[in-house]
Amino acid sequence: MPAISVPVPMLSHPPRAPKGVELRAVSGEDLPEVAAGVTEATQEYNFARIWSPKTLEQWLQWVPAGEPVNHYRVATSPSGAILAGLAVREEGLLRTMEVVRMPAAIRLANSVLRVVPKDRMLRNLSVEHFWFLPGQREAATALWQDTRWSFRERASNMLITLDPRSPVLPVLDVKAWTPKTSITTAVRADLPPREDRLVAPLE
């Protein structure tokens, strides 16, 4: 099944966070719990990526453009337990895309969807490794919305690619009219991927 890539505009007004949920950047002490959470949430996926605290730390420390490009954010309970997490890459620090022209129908749709900003410069915030504990969809939704607000001045859109069967998709509140792009990956392997398993999009 093809993966889908969904662009979601940033928020212009701060969202309300549910009571009892803290939304913040990851700390060094969180890395073992985050790595375990990512691994546990996707361990049965085709092409699942296994993270360790060390690989996560190295990923966060990547500075190709003079400042950190990668970030990890978490939603935690009052006791400090991590309920949900997502990784973001500021692609706008590495590249931007300019929309030179749009057909009339696309311009009309964009006046409502606001995927292409007024300056027509797309600076995507790429979302990866979005997961949440069972029963913590509300915390995941709060984390998603808070990230859309917190990075509003650093990106024009949140861009996430995922299996359409993913439990993360309902968190995004994607509408039928939300623009989407399908992505199919050709794989050459001795054993084919299992079709009953969800697919972790390749990076």
Side-chain angles (χ1 to χ4, degrees):
M1 181 178 293
I4 58 172
S5 185
V6 185
V8 179
M10 312 307 280
L11 290 178
S12 56
H13 301 284
R16 292 184 179 180
K19 292 183 179 180
V21 176
E22 181 185 357
L23 307 167
R24 59 174 175 81
V26 75
S27 69
E29 296 178 351
D30 297 325
L31 298 186
E33 190 174 354
V34 168
V38 172
T39 301
E40 177 69 21
T42 61
Q43 63 180 341
E44 296 300 324
Y45 285 34
N46 288 315
F47 316 125
R49 177 178 176 182
I50 307 301
W51 267 11
S52 69
K54 184 63 175 178
T55 55
L56 178 54
E57 181 181 31
Q58 292 173 339
W59 183 83
L60 288 169
Q61 292 176 346
W62 188 48
V63 187
E67 60 180 297
V69 171
N70 297 326
H71 312 272
Y72 204 95
R73 297 180 57 78
V74 294
T76 67
S77 69
S79 65
I82 296 178
L83 308 176
L86 62 79
V88 294
R89 174 183 293 117
E90 288 189 73
E91 291 188 358
L93 293 177
L94 304 175
R95 62 181 180 184
T96 57
M97 293 182 289
E98 181 180 4
V99 179
V100 177
R101 62 176 60 89
M102 293 186 290
I106 300 299
R107 288 200 306 271
L108 180 61
N110 190 65
S111 66
V112 177
L113 301 174
R114 298 182 294 110
V115 172
V116 179
K118 292 182 179 180
D119 63 4
R120 297 197 176 188
M121 302 297 291
L122 292 174
R123 295 169 292 113
N124 290 324
L125 190 71
S126 179
V127 180
E128 303 169 356
H129 309 294
F130 192 2
W131 64 278
F132 56 93
L133 294 178
Q136 296 298 332
R137 176 175 163 180
E138 185 178 18
T141 300
L143 180 61
W144 170 259
Q145 297 288 63
D146 181 73
T147 305
R148 290 177 65 193
W149 166 252
S150 298
F151 284 81
R152 67 193 181 282
E153 296 181 354
R154 308 185 70 166
S156 58
N157 296 286
M158 301 262 281
L159 182 65
I160 184 169
T161 302
L162 71 172
D163 189 308
R165 300 167 294 176
S166 170
V168 168
L169 186 59
V171 172
L172 311 182
D173 192 27
V174 175
K175 308 299 185 184
W177 55 83
T178 300
K180 310 175 191 68
T181 300
S182 63
I183 299 175
T184 301
T185 302
V187 178
R188 180 178 181 179
D190 294 333
L191 295 175
R194 286 178 47 179
E195 295 184 3
D196 60 317
R197 289 185 173 182
L198 274 70
V199 174
L202 302 179
E203 299 175 9

